[in-house]
């Protein structure tokens, strides 16, 4: 637990973080990649070009500081982020590296001297948050590995079928190369994909929703991917052919079907249909009838309808 002094000090930095948050997080990523270039593959480098990842992190830092005395409010965000971390393989030893770069960025941008009370308080606050993430992700890893057909880390899969859905979108059916079944998943969940290759772009990781659903462990998975340009992973994947191999994480994600609802309304845009189509299949499998389901699909035209 954090002391009242630490909580008060962290909350007092909120105005500064709101003003300088983007500069801090941009400097953070510079420092992190300078010190530990091996971590680049964990972060979407495309989002580094337009500062979207820096802005998202800046917002998250402000949210944490604002709710440092009410951590329960952060549980949904922690669960969502922890699932993404688990899919890309974040480990406990990464957190001290990230924390050191973040504190250095705060110190540099805000021109704080060594040992400043704000730095001490943020060091304690970050340590608490890191512990929460490590514990949450450790449980996600162990639960995944314990499932029938489950695993931790990345597992090799072979492409067994490719279906062109639109000029920009393909569906890839994959089976584990070891011939064993893959764990079941909740409709709406995703897998992280890493392509096999020597170019550094293939070390990048992207999450793609599983675009179908079946009860229990699966003989195969299907992902449906739009080719983005430039898109390090999606462009590479669209060049793959049947028989090629790729690496997949186990399924993760918190965006799943609300099974308590008596009626379901699904609204999708373009390739965003993928998790919702999976949820639709689960709803029908659970016995939902036509009068309980409404699915609205938006797209640019007939040729772009998935």
């Amino acid at each position: 637990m954090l002391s009242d002094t630490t909580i008060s000090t962290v909350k007092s930095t909120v105005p500064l973080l709101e003003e300088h948050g983007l500069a801090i997080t941009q400097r953070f990523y510079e420092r992190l990649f300078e010190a530990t270039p091996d971590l680049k593959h964990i972060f979407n480098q495309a989002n580094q070009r337009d500062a979207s990842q820096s802005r998202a992190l800046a917002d998250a830092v402000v949210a944490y500081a604002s709710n440092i005395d009410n951590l329960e409010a952060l549980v949904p965000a922690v669960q969502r982020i922890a699932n993404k971390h688990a899919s890309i393989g974040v480990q406990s030893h990464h957190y001290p590296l990230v924390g050191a770069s973040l504190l250095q960025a705060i110190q540099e941008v805000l021109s704080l001297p060594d040992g400043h009370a704000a730095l001490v308080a943020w060091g304690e606050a970050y340590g608490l948050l890191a512990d929460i993430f490590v514990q949450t992700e450790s449980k996600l890893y162990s639960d995944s590995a314990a499932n029938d057909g489950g695993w931790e880390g990345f597992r090799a899969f072979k492409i067994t079928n490719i279906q062109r859905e639109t000029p920009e979108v393909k569906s890839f059916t994959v089976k584990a190369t070891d011939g064993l079944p893959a764990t079941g998943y909740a409709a709406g969940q995703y897998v992280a994909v890493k392509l096999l290759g020597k170019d550094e772009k293939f070390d990048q990781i992207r999450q793609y929703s599983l675009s179908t659903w079946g009860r229990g462990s699966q003989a195969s998975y299907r992902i449906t991917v739009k080719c983005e340009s430039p898109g390090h992973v999606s462009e590479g994947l669209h060049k793959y052919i049947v028989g090629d191999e790729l690496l997949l994480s186990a399924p993760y994600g918190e965006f799943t079907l609300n099974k308590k609802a008596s009626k379901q309304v699904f609204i999708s845009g373009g390739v965003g249909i993928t998790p919702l189509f999976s949820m639709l299949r689960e709803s029908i499998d659970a016995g939902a009838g036509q009068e309980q389901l409404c699915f609205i699909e938006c797209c640019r035209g007939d040729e772009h309808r998935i």
Side-chain angles (χ1 to χ4, degrees):
M1 296 295 293
L2 299 175
S3 68
D4 291 341
T5 300
T6 295
I7 291 172
S8 176
T9 302
V10 169
K11 288 184 75 71
S12 73
T13 65
V14 170
L16 285 172
L17 295 172
E18 290 174 334
E19 181 179 356
H20 302 286
L22 182 58
I24 290 171
T25 53
Q26 287 178 323
R27 183 60 184 135
F28 156 73
Y29 283 117
E30 291 172 359
R31 271 208 163 269
L32 181 66
F33 297 149
E34 288 169 1
T36 52
D38 289 347
L39 290 183
K40 276 189 175 182
H41 73 282
I42 288 180
F43 298 89
N44 187 331
Q45 294 302 303
N47 291 340
Q48 294 293 324
R49 291 196 298 266
D50 62 6
S52 58
Q53 198 159 39
S54 295
R55 278 192 290 269
L57 179 58
D59 290 342
V61 170
V62 170
Y64 181 49
S66 301
N67 291 279
I68 194 71
D69 54 350
N70 180 28
L71 295 182
E72 288 297 316
L74 300 175
V75 169
V78 167
Q79 286 292 336
R80 183 175 67 255
I81 296 169
N83 270 267
K84 186 166 185 177
H85 283 179
S87 75
I88 60 179
V90 170
Q91 299 293 327
S92 59
H93 66 268
H94 293 142
Y95 282 95
L97 303 173
V98 170
S101 293
L102 180 60
L103 290 176
Q104 289 168 350
I106 292 173
Q107 181 175 16
E108 290 178 17
V109 173
L110 300 184
S111 300
L112 301 177
D114 291 344
H116 191 279
L119 293 176
V120 174
W122 261 106
E124 295 175 6
Y126 175 82
L128 174 64
L129 184 61
D131 287 344
I132 292 172
F133 273 115
V134 168
Q135 292 172 19
T136 304
E137 289 154 17
S138 176
K139 186 174 189 310
L140 287 171
Y141 286 135
S142 60
D143 287 350
S144 175
N147 288 339
D148 181 24
W151 69 97
E152 183 177 337
F154 284 88
R155 184 176 174 187
F157 281 74
K158 180 177 291 187
I159 297 173
T160 59
N161 185 63
I162 299 175
Q163 175 71 39
R164 182 171 288 279
E165 308 289 355
T166 75
E168 302 167 319
V169 177
K170 290 181 180 180
S171 288
F172 300 84
T173 301
V174 299
K175 291 185 178 181
T177 57
D178 58 17
L180 299 175
T183 183
Y185 55 91
Q189 289 192 307
Y190 53 80
V191 291
V193 175
K194 184 188 290 190
L195 304 187
L196 294 168
K198 295 181 180 179
D199 192 303
E200 68 170 6
K201 71 180 181 182
F202 289 113
D203 200 33
Q204 288 285 294
I205 302 169
R206 296 291 185 275
Q207 288 88 10
Y208 296 110
S209 297
L210 292 155
S211 57
T212 188
W213 186 80
R215 190 182 302 278
S217 60
Q218 308 285 298
S220 63
Y221 286 160
R222 185 179 72 185
I223 56 174
T224 301
V225 179
K226 179 182 178 183
C227 184
E228 301 283 359
S229 184
H232 291 314
V233 176
S234 65
E235 283 187 330
L237 184 55
H238 268 244
K239 295 175 183 176
Y240 273 35
I241 62 174
V242 171
D244 284 343
E245 293 186 8
L246 62 164
L247 301 177
L248 264 62
S249 75
Y252 292 101
E254 290 289 289
F255 180 54
T256 55
L257 183 68
N258 178 5
K259 298 180 181 179
K260 296 180 180 179
S262 59
K263 294 185 177 181
Q264 302 281 0
V265 179
F266 303 97
I267 304 174
S268 72
V271 77
I273 191 175
T274 52
L276 300 188
F277 186 77
S278 179
M279 293 182 198
L280 177 67
R281 292 291 300 271
E282 183 177 358
S283 297
I284 293 171
D285 188 72
Q290 205 167 357
E291 70 283 353
Q292 297 169 279
L293 300 170
C294 176
F295 202 111
I296 301 170
E297 180 191 0
C298 307
C299 55
R300 286 174 284 167
D302 282 346
E303 70 170 340
H304 296 286
R305 177 192 285 175
I306 300 174

